[in-house]
Amino acid sequence: MALHPLNPSDANLIQARLSELGYYRYQPEGIWGLVSRSALQDFKAANGLSDDDVWDSSVEASLRQARPTPASDTPFGEWSVVGTSCSAEMNPQKMVVSAKGVVVGSMICELQERFVRSNTDWSGHALCHLNGRDLASKISLRVTGQRLIDRSIVGTSTIVPTSFDRCS
């Protein structure tokens, strides 16, 4: 293992590669913090590795390979309902998807198992927290280019399929 994320110059290189692949959405600054660790988790989950934030030689090899799965082929990142603004901080129609869960407005869904990918579909079971209630849910997302279709079932309610555009 040649790189170590706690070394600022190595962290900068790792962040730059994660940014190139679309997982790290900020300018590399060489400080390995929560945002970097979350980007690493998403990268690992998308590329068939454990979805934790541990850096090791298998992660480094996967990150260095010529064709790892880019974030654009995953649901990971920020999305906004078609026709709404990504920039509004408290946009209730904004969705944030990570390897650990999904947040939409005031609803927080924690994955109970890792996402399962089948072509452009990503699914998993989650426990969603909304208005003081815990709801067993089935997360079902389809990624086609810069568009995401949410067909999840929250509690006993099937969500009307909603289209989101990827925030840049």
Side-chain angles (χ1 to χ4, degrees):
M1 184 165 49
L3 298 175
H4 194 289
L6 296 181
N7 175 332
S9 61
D10 290 350
N12 195 59
L13 290 171
I14 296 166
Q15 289 168 339
R17 179 66 170 144
L18 289 170
S19 178
E20 178 184 317
L21 294 168
Y23 293 98
Y24 188 75
R25 293 178 289 282
Y26 300 93
Q27 288 289 6
E29 79 286 334
I31 298 169
W32 196 255
L34 281 174
V35 174
S36 301
R37 292 189 347 241
S38 180
L40 181 65
Q41 287 176 319
D42 292 348
F43 169 81
K44 288 176 70 174
N47 286 277
L49 304 168
S50 62
D51 58 357
D52 56 32
D53 64 356
V54 175
W55 178 264
D56 60 26
S57 58
S58 66
V59 177
E60 185 169 334
S62 185
L63 194 61
R64 289 180 186 262
Q65 73 181 4
R67 301 190 69 186
T69 301
S72 60
D73 290 351
T74 76
F76 304 141
E78 295 181 359
W79 303 84
S80 185
V81 169
V82 173
T84 66
S85 171
C86 286
S87 62
E89 271 305 307
M90 298 306 291
N91 179 351
Q93 297 181 315
K94 187 174 181 180
M95 177 187 286
V96 179
V97 181
S98 74
K100 296 296 182 183
V102 177
V103 176
V104 181
S106 61
M107 182 171 62
I108 299 170
C109 298
E110 299 172 40
L111 284 173
Q112 304 298 293
E113 58 190 33
R114 70 183 306 155
F115 274 114
V116 175
R117 181 181 186 178
S118 174
N119 296 320
T120 59
D121 293 332
W122 296 72
S123 61
H125 291 91
L127 183 61
C128 296
H129 311 285
L130 179 65
N131 300 326
R133 298 183 326 166
D134 292 336
L135 306 163
S137 304
K138 170 94 165 100
I139 305 299
S140 179
L141 307 171
R142 173 171 284 169
V143 179
T144 55
Q146 294 297 305
R147 177 92 14 112
L148 178 135
I149 307 297
D150 180 11
R151 297 173 297 149
S152 300
I153 299 170
V154 177
T156 57
S157 302
T158 301
I159 294 177
V160 174
T162 305
S163 294
F164 293 82
D165 285 333
R166 188 179 292 275
C167 299
S168 52

